[in-house]
Amino acid sequence: MGMLNERTERVLYAVVQSYISTNEPVGSRFITKAYSFNLSPATIRNIMADLEESGFLLQPHTSAGRVPTDRGYRFYVDHMARQKEAEDRFLKSFILRLEATREDLDGLLEAAARTLSEHSRYLGLAAPMKSGKTTLNRIELFIYRGNYIAVMLLTDEGLIKHKLIRMGQELTPRTLRRISEYLNQEFSGYTIDEIRFKLIREMSREKALCDILISKAVQICREALSFPAGDIYISGFSDFIGLPDFSDRIREIAGAIEDKHFMLKLLEQVGSESEDVPSVVIGSENPVKEMRDLSMVVSAFKQGGKTAGTVGVIGPTRMDYTKAIVMVQTAARFITEALAR
Amino acid sequence: MGMLNERTERVLYAVVQSYISTNEPVGSRFITKAYSFNLSPATIRNIMADLEESGFLLQPHTSAGRVPTDRGYRFYVDHMARQKEAEDRFLKSFILRLEATREDLDGLLEAAARTLSEHSRYLGLAAPMKSGKTTLNRIELFIYRGNYIAVMLLTDEGLIKHKLIRMGQELTPRTLRRISEYLNQEFSGYTIDEIRFKLIREMSREKALCDILISKAVQICREALSFPAGDIYISGFSDFIGLPDFSDRIREIAGAIEDKHFMLKLLEQVGSESEDVPSVVIGSENPVKEMRDLSMVVSAFKQGGKTAGTVGVIGPTRMDYTKAIVMVQTAARFITEALAR
DNA sequence: TTTAGCACTCTCGCTGTTTGAGTGCTAAAG
DNA sequence: CTTTAGCACTCAAACAGCGAGAGTGCTAAA
């Protein structure tokens, strides 16, 4: 599997790199020149034929150059050496950008997605952990315009949500305060999922108790927790869609990207396994079939030891993996660090 | 200007309608058949030649059918009769959809944009009034994780914003409450713009007073008001971009749409004049040059007599104006009504 | 094992041709 | 004076044929 002799490997690298930057099938002659092999085109052809046989390359048609297969990219990614200098240059502008936005998690993630996309020209992504896993720090309630209640949820992770709830009748400030105290006492420190669970139990008990106050509280909390899908920041749409790779299928891909729910699930599925180093999913490896000819580089960022969300990049299979990996990794690290402060 | 004889007008309508639905240049023969004129193609040709001379139609090339000019669309829009039945059908599903989301303004607008785009297959837009014009209902502060303050701003219009602010040192709950009281007393009932103005005055006075409390308060308020551009809900990206009209220029258009700041300014510029009936901007009439071959239908919705925001649709110049106008109008009315409750 | 040489294949761009839709004009008919 | 039939004309789009060029695989010599 990982067994290619030195020379063959070099040829594979050359093909991948060249194809990544030009998007043109690459021929034997070109390789000898551009990568200064001391070999004749014929020899390269033999090597390429071998590489094709073992599934790392393929020809779009008989008289064209070779193009990497997904497997070829995979080999490239798994064996390539890190480019240190790219990292440094990127790191600087990245930190510069993010440092400027000392906001809450949302602001940070939005900036991350944008920076990622601007530097890569691919699609930049950032999303906090599925909100169910976040733990509630506290919940605040106010009366608003008589018969509405404004709810503000704060989580330990810096995520903030608000919601307006319409009430049947008006509540006095005093009742509201009591409700608020009850909710905080009962639910602070639990994750949203746990709270949802507890709420269900509470609902049944509540009937028995017939305590109107608690009933109201539970009702408010239920409504407040009925979030829409969850946040995800996506940036770089236009550059991405302008890429020559998808001149057909634009519609389809645009549709997938616009569906935030879908993207979130995608991130979640791919990012789950990642540890310190970003995970790379190449074309056909993608579990989601709509994404079969796209690649993703995704990494998780943490807070207090726990995974707190994901950042990443989506691009064509011929994306610049070296750069993408470095960028995503830097981004994840930086966010982790920023959250730790 | 509005002087075309009955018959000529009918021909113009036929061309516009046909072109809107097929996106193909329309010929004389086709018109006679499809719209059952009791005239020969030759006659129609003469009429069309007249229409071309007066600038309502043009030929893409000599041997092709005619296509409406922007002026042609304009005439069509200004003179067309309302289609009552389309309205009713749309109204029902629209209300159904929006009724389900009894949320705050944000939720309402998002639903509106989506409904608009789904029913039109164009780009659906919805945005609240520029936040500077909204009036502050109240401001709430809490301590969060020691050295952060969570700020929640509520406006009279149902707009809610939150922000996390990092403080140099920790504040006691008591100080915070006093700050909060000060801010509410000082700023409630003013518009955000006014508050910004007052803040500047306060800043200078503050130096003289040397009151640390007020100083802190002002600082917090300043930070809290440093919003990003403002919200706008855009929906239907993928359908829109898949339209055959922009198969080239996709990149450019996608770029413009992605730039929310730009879109917001666009809406503001176009929507300002609209009263009860949506305003229609056709292609070259657009003040913004990037949008010169797109059309927009925009309407404002109100709250308490004042304009509270805008909804609209963007499509190709050959968009279905009848439908778009009815839809946008219904949407605006419905939102106005929903806000009144 | 490498390489030169050669025949072969296939895309791409160019050219010319045909087809068909649609026009404008003219002259006859209403 | 208006409408219409007829006809010549124009042009885009579709198609076929062709040559050039890039790239290959194979064979035989170095």
Side-chain angles (χ1 to χ4, degrees), chain A residues 243-264:
Chain A
L243 247 37
D245 305 63
F246 339 102
S247 46
D248 37 356
R249 306 195 53 223
I250 285 197
R251 170 82 170 276
E252 191 186 340
I253 291 180
I257 297 175
E258 196 183 5
D259 183 350
K260 307 214 162 188
H261 208 288
F262 171 77
M263 293 301 278
L264 211 56

mmCIF file of all heavy atoms in Angstrom, chain A residues 243-264:
data_model
loop_
_atom_site.group_PDB
_atom_site.id
_atom_site.type_symbol
_atom_site.label_atom_id
_atom_site.label_comp_id
_atom_site.label_asym_id
_atom_site.label_seq_id
_atom_site.Cartn_x
_atom_site.Cartn_y
_atom_site.Cartn_z
ATOM 1 N N LEU A 243 -15.130 28.397 -9.307
ATOM 2 C CA LEU A 243 -14.080 27.456 -9.653
ATOM 3 C C LEU A 243 -14.453 26.685 -10.917
ATOM 4 O O LEU A 243 -15.579 26.240 -11.059
ATOM 5 C CB LEU A 243 -13.888 26.473 -8.498
ATOM 6 C CG LEU A 243 -12.580 26.507 -7.724
ATOM 7 C CD1 LEU A 243 -12.056 27.932 -7.546
ATOM 8 C CD2 LEU A 243 -12.756 25.855 -6.370
ATOM 9 N N PRO A 244 -13.490 26.523 -11.818
ATOM 10 C CA PRO A 244 -13.818 25.866 -13.092
ATOM 11 C C PRO A 244 -14.267 24.414 -12.894
ATOM 12 O O PRO A 244 -14.929 23.854 -13.750
ATOM 13 C CB PRO A 244 -12.500 25.920 -13.854
ATOM 14 C CG PRO A 244 -11.441 26.084 -12.830
ATOM 15 C CD PRO A 244 -12.079 26.889 -11.734
ATOM 16 N N ASP A 245 -13.909 23.848 -11.751
ATOM 17 C CA ASP A 245 -14.184 22.422 -11.540
ATOM 18 C C ASP A 245 -15.656 22.057 -11.618
ATOM 19 O O ASP A 245 -16.004 20.982 -12.062
ATOM 20 C CB ASP A 245 -13.638 21.996 -10.181
ATOM 21 C CG ASP A 245 -12.175 22.318 -10.046
ATOM 22 O OD1 ASP A 245 -11.816 23.520 -10.091
ATOM 23 O OD2 ASP A 245 -11.385 21.402 -9.930
ATOM 24 N N PHE A 246 -16.507 22.954 -11.142
ATOM 25 C CA PHE A 246 -17.928 22.568 -11.141
ATOM 26 C C PHE A 246 -18.772 23.376 -12.095
ATOM 27 O O PHE A 246 -19.897 23.723 -11.770
ATOM 28 C CB PHE A 246 -18.549 22.720 -9.765
ATOM 29 C CG PHE A 246 -17.604 22.725 -8.638
ATOM 30 C CD1 PHE A 246 -17.249 23.909 -8.035
ATOM 31 C CD2 PHE A 246 -17.057 21.544 -8.175
ATOM 32 C CE1 PHE A 246 -16.383 23.916 -6.974
ATOM 33 C CE2 PHE A 246 -16.190 21.544 -7.120
ATOM 34 C CZ PHE A 246 -15.851 22.730 -6.511
ATOM 35 N N SER A 247 -18.244 23.701 -13.261
ATOM 36 C CA SER A 247 -19.036 24.576 -14.116
ATOM 37 C C SER A 247 -20.397 23.942 -14.419
ATOM 38 O O SER A 247 -21.394 24.628 -14.512
ATOM 39 C CB SER A 247 -18.282 24.893 -15.408
ATOM 40 O OG SER A 247 -17.733 23.706 -15.927
ATOM 41 N N ASP A 248 -20.446 22.630 -14.555
ATOM 42 C CA ASP A 248 -21.761 22.004 -14.499
ATOM 43 C C ASP A 248 -22.006 21.681 -13.024
ATOM 44 O O ASP A 248 -21.140 21.858 -12.197
ATOM 45 C CB ASP A 248 -21.802 20.730 -15.357
ATOM 46 C CG ASP A 248 -20.498 19.973 -15.279
ATOM 47 O OD1 ASP A 248 -19.556 20.470 -14.623
ATOM 48 O OD2 ASP A 248 -20.392 18.886 -15.854
ATOM 49 N N ARG A 249 -23.144 21.248 -12.679
ATOM 50 C CA ARG A 249 -23.466 20.871 -11.304
ATOM 51 C C ARG A 249 -23.528 22.044 -10.334
ATOM 52 O O ARG A 249 -23.749 21.840 -9.135
ATOM 53 C CB ARG A 249 -22.454 19.842 -10.759
ATOM 54 C CG ARG A 249 -22.287 18.605 -11.608
ATOM 55 C CD ARG A 249 -21.570 17.527 -10.826
ATOM 56 N NE ARG A 249 -22.210 17.260 -9.572
ATOM 57 C CZ ARG A 249 -21.567 17.077 -8.426
ATOM 58 N NH1 ARG A 249 -20.271 17.172 -8.387
ATOM 59 N NH2 ARG A 249 -22.230 16.820 -7.327
ATOM 60 N N ILE A 250 -23.310 23.244 -10.816
ATOM 61 C CA ILE A 250 -23.329 24.397 -9.926
ATOM 62 C C ILE A 250 -24.598 24.435 -9.100
ATOM 63 O O ILE A 250 -24.569 24.602 -7.888
ATOM 64 C CB ILE A 250 -23.256 25.714 -10.722
ATOM 65 C CG1 ILE A 250 -21.837 25.899 -11.229
ATOM 66 C CG2 ILE A 250 -23.646 26.891 -9.845
ATOM 67 C CD1 ILE A 250 -21.565 27.299 -11.646
ATOM 68 N N ARG A 251 -25.672 24.272 -9.766
ATOM 69 C CA ARG A 251 -26.970 24.323 -9.119
ATOM 70 C C ARG A 251 -27.034 23.376 -7.935
ATOM 71 O O ARG A 251 -27.365 23.745 -6.812
ATOM 72 C CB ARG A 251 -28.028 23.944 -10.159
ATOM 73 C CG ARG A 251 -29.397 23.705 -9.627
ATOM 74 C CD ARG A 251 -30.099 25.035 -9.439
ATOM 75 N NE ARG A 251 -31.487 24.821 -9.162
ATOM 76 C CZ ARG A 251 -32.404 24.630 -10.095
ATOM 77 N NH1 ARG A 251 -32.047 24.651 -11.360
ATOM 78 N NH2 ARG A 251 -33.665 24.445 -9.778
ATOM 79 N N GLU A 252 -26.662 22.158 -8.221
ATOM 80 C CA GLU A 252 -26.725 21.107 -7.206
ATOM 81 C C GLU A 252 -25.860 21.455 -5.996
ATOM 82 O O GLU A 252 -26.286 21.391 -4.842
ATOM 83 C CB GLU A 252 -26.209 19.826 -7.860
ATOM 84 C CG GLU A 252 -26.418 18.564 -7.081
ATOM 85 C CD GLU A 252 -25.708 17.423 -7.815
ATOM 86 O OE1 GLU A 252 -25.425 17.571 -9.032
ATOM 87 O OE2 GLU A 252 -25.416 16.417 -7.178
ATOM 88 N N ILE A 253 -24.634 21.842 -6.293
ATOM 89 C CA ILE A 253 -23.702 22.152 -5.218
ATOM 90 C C ILE A 253 -24.149 23.377 -4.433
ATOM 91 O O ILE A 253 -24.126 23.387 -3.204
ATOM 92 C CB ILE A 253 -22.292 22.363 -5.788
ATOM 93 C CG1 ILE A 253 -21.759 21.016 -6.300
ATOM 94 C CG2 ILE A 253 -21.360 22.933 -4.746
ATOM 95 C CD1 ILE A 253 -20.388 21.073 -6.879
ATOM 96 N N ALA A 254 -24.604 24.385 -5.148
ATOM 97 C CA ALA A 254 -25.099 25.578 -4.465
ATOM 98 C C ALA A 254 -26.247 25.190 -3.538
ATOM 99 O O ALA A 254 -26.347 25.676 -2.417
ATOM 100 C CB ALA A 254 -25.561 26.619 -5.477
ATOM 101 N N GLY A 255 -27.082 24.307 -4.001
ATOM 102 C CA GLY A 255 -28.197 23.851 -3.187
ATOM 103 C C GLY A 255 -27.728 23.208 -1.899
ATOM 104 O O GLY A 255 -28.219 23.513 -0.818
ATOM 105 N N ALA A 256 -26.742 22.341 -2.027
ATOM 106 C CA ALA A 256 -26.230 21.659 -0.841
ATOM 107 C C ALA A 256 -25.643 22.658 0.150
ATOM 108 O O ALA A 256 -25.888 22.585 1.347
ATOM 109 C CB ALA A 256 -25.178 20.631 -1.241
ATOM 110 N N ILE A 257 -24.899 23.598 -0.370
ATOM 111 C CA ILE A 257 -24.251 24.562 0.516
ATOM 112 C C ILE A 257 -25.270 25.445 1.210
ATOM 113 O O ILE A 257 -25.124 25.801 2.369
ATOM 114 C CB ILE A 257 -23.272 25.450 -0.276
ATOM 115 C CG1 ILE A 257 -22.158 24.592 -0.866
ATOM 116 C CG2 ILE A 257 -22.678 26.518 0.634
ATOM 117 C CD1 ILE A 257 -21.216 25.351 -1.744
ATOM 118 N N GLU A 258 -26.307 25.799 0.478
ATOM 119 C CA GLU A 258 -27.303 26.687 1.059
ATOM 120 C C GLU A 258 -28.056 26.007 2.201
ATOM 121 O O GLU A 258 -28.555 26.665 3.104
ATOM 122 C CB GLU A 258 -28.294 27.132 -0.016
ATOM 123 C CG GLU A 258 -29.111 28.325 0.412
ATOM 124 C CD GLU A 258 -30.134 28.709 -0.625
ATOM 125 O OE1 GLU A 258 -30.265 27.988 -1.627
ATOM 126 O OE2 GLU A 258 -30.807 29.740 -0.432
ATOM 127 N N ASP A 259 -28.118 24.715 2.148
ATOM 128 C CA ASP A 259 -28.836 23.977 3.173
ATOM 129 C C ASP A 259 -27.961 23.828 4.412
ATOM 130 O O ASP A 259 -27.205 22.883 4.563
ATOM 131 C CB ASP A 259 -29.209 22.599 2.627
ATOM 132 C CG ASP A 259 -30.021 21.804 3.618
ATOM 133 O OD1 ASP A 259 -30.140 22.234 4.789
ATOM 134 O OD2 ASP A 259 -30.532 20.749 3.241
ATOM 135 N N LYS A 260 -28.113 24.754 5.325
ATOM 136 C CA LYS A 260 -27.213 24.796 6.481
ATOM 137 C C LYS A 260 -27.347 23.550 7.342
ATOM 138 O O LYS A 260 -26.380 23.097 7.941
ATOM 139 C CB LYS A 260 -27.505 26.037 7.328
ATOM 140 C CG LYS A 260 -27.476 27.304 6.507
ATOM 141 C CD LYS A 260 -26.965 28.490 7.271
ATOM 142 C CE LYS A 260 -26.548 29.558 6.267
ATOM 143 N NZ LYS A 260 -25.860 30.688 6.853
ATOM 144 N N HIS A 261 -28.547 23.063 7.378
ATOM 145 C CA HIS A 261 -28.793 21.863 8.152
ATOM 146 C C HIS A 261 -27.916 20.730 7.628
ATOM 147 O O HIS A 261 -27.241 20.020 8.374
ATOM 148 C CB HIS A 261 -30.267 21.490 8.026
ATOM 149 C CG HIS A 261 -30.792 20.757 9.203
ATOM 150 N ND1 HIS A 261 -30.453 19.456 9.468
ATOM 151 C CD2 HIS A 261 -31.616 21.157 10.193
ATOM 152 C CE1 HIS A 261 -31.082 19.077 10.570
ATOM 153 N NE2 HIS A 261 -31.779 20.088 11.031
ATOM 154 N N PHE A 262 -27.926 20.625 6.337
ATOM 155 C CA PHE A 262 -27.133 19.597 5.674
ATOM 156 C C PHE A 262 -25.647 19.784 5.939
ATOM 157 O O PHE A 262 -24.932 18.843 6.292
ATOM 158 C CB PHE A 262 -27.405 19.664 4.168
ATOM 159 C CG PHE A 262 -26.501 18.819 3.334
ATOM 160 C CD1 PHE A 262 -26.687 17.453 3.246
ATOM 161 C CD2 PHE A 262 -25.452 19.401 2.647
ATOM 162 C CE1 PHE A 262 -25.848 16.679 2.479
ATOM 163 C CE2 PHE A 262 -24.606 18.638 1.872
ATOM 164 C CZ PHE A 262 -24.806 17.271 1.793
ATOM 165 N N MET A 263 -25.176 20.992 5.798
ATOM 166 C CA MET A 263 -23.758 21.269 5.995
ATOM 167 C C MET A 263 -23.332 20.935 7.417
ATOM 168 O O MET A 263 -22.244 20.423 7.662
ATOM 169 C CB MET A 263 -23.470 22.744 5.719
ATOM 170 C CG MET A 263 -23.655 23.145 4.289
ATOM 171 S SD MET A 263 -22.610 22.233 3.162
ATOM 172 C CE MET A 263 -21.093 23.143 3.337
ATOM 173 N N LEU A 264 -24.201 21.252 8.334
ATOM 174 C CA LEU A 264 -23.897 21.003 9.736
ATOM 175 C C LEU A 264 -23.723 19.513 9.976
ATOM 176 O O LEU A 264 -22.784 19.066 10.628
ATOM 177 C CB LEU A 264 -25.050 21.542 10.584
ATOM 178 C CG LEU A 264 -24.703 22.064 11.954
ATOM 179 C CD1 LEU A 264 -23.650 23.144 11.839
ATOM 180 C CD2 LEU A 264 -25.924 22.599 12.647
#
